[in-house]
Amino acid sequence: QVQLVESGGGLVQAGGSLRLSCAASGRTFTSYAMGWFRQAPGKEREFVATISRSPDTTYYADSVEGRFTISRDNAKNTVYLQMNSLKPEDTAVYYCAARSRIYYSTRVENYDYWGQGTQVTVSS
């Protein structure tokens, strides 16, 4: 099993940067693919980025490609989402998720564990 705790959300201006962290507990951490999803008010949860078991393989939603970077530090049991060139449309609650497979997935239903979510607000 995996427990996830997220941090790093906040309020930033358009064009700014923010780094989200997801601290995981559980000795099986390195056996799980990880993902980031987001949910804006009145919208369904959507895929943002995912990373597979090391050696790392990453995949991004078209809307964030080139601006966001997902990374994994197994020694610290932590997954990060570096967000640069933020836009107002990036405003959402961001969720960290873990999948009990080594390969990544873009689908909400393929993830087994979820963090509590952290609010990201980008002003224009």
Side-chain angles (χ1 to χ4, degrees):
Q1 63 180 20
V2 174
Q3 297 80 45
L4 308 174
V5 179
E6 303 167 6
S7 62
L11 173 64
V12 298
Q13 284 190 292
S17 298
L18 205 60
R19 190 192 195 193
L20 306 183
S21 297
C22 174
S25 62
R27 294 185 180 276
T28 60
F29 177 75
T30 58
S31 298
Y32 288 76
M34 304 294 295
W36 285 96
F37 293 78
R38 66 187 183 186
Q39 188 166 18
K43 304 294 184 180
E44 66 181 11
R45 193 167 299 185
E46 67 174 357
F47 167 75
V48 175
T50 184
I51 186 169
S52 65
R53 180 183 179 182
S54 182
D56 297 340
T57 300
T58 60
Y59 188 78
Y60 299 89
D62 290 343
S63 59
V64 306
E65 180 72 48
R67 299 188 297 120
F68 291 10
T69 302
I70 186 172
S71 61
R72 183 173 191 159
D73 188 337
N74 291 332
K76 297 182 179 180
N77 293 328
T78 302
V79 176
Y80 304 95
L81 184 68
Q82 178 66 47
M83 304 184 292
N84 298 325
S85 301
L86 284 163
K87 305 174 181 179
E89 52 262 44
D90 294 319
T91 295
V93 176
Y94 283 70
Y95 296 90
C96 176
R99 184 180 187 230
S100 58
R101 300 280 186 86
I102 63 172
Y103 198 65
Y104 63 68
S105 174
T106 64
R107 300 178 61 171
V108 169
E109 58 265 38
N110 288 153
Y111 286 81
D112 304 295
Y113 306 99
W114 294 85
Q116 80 285 359
T118 185
Q119 177 70 47
V120 172
T121 302
V122 184
S123 64
S124 59

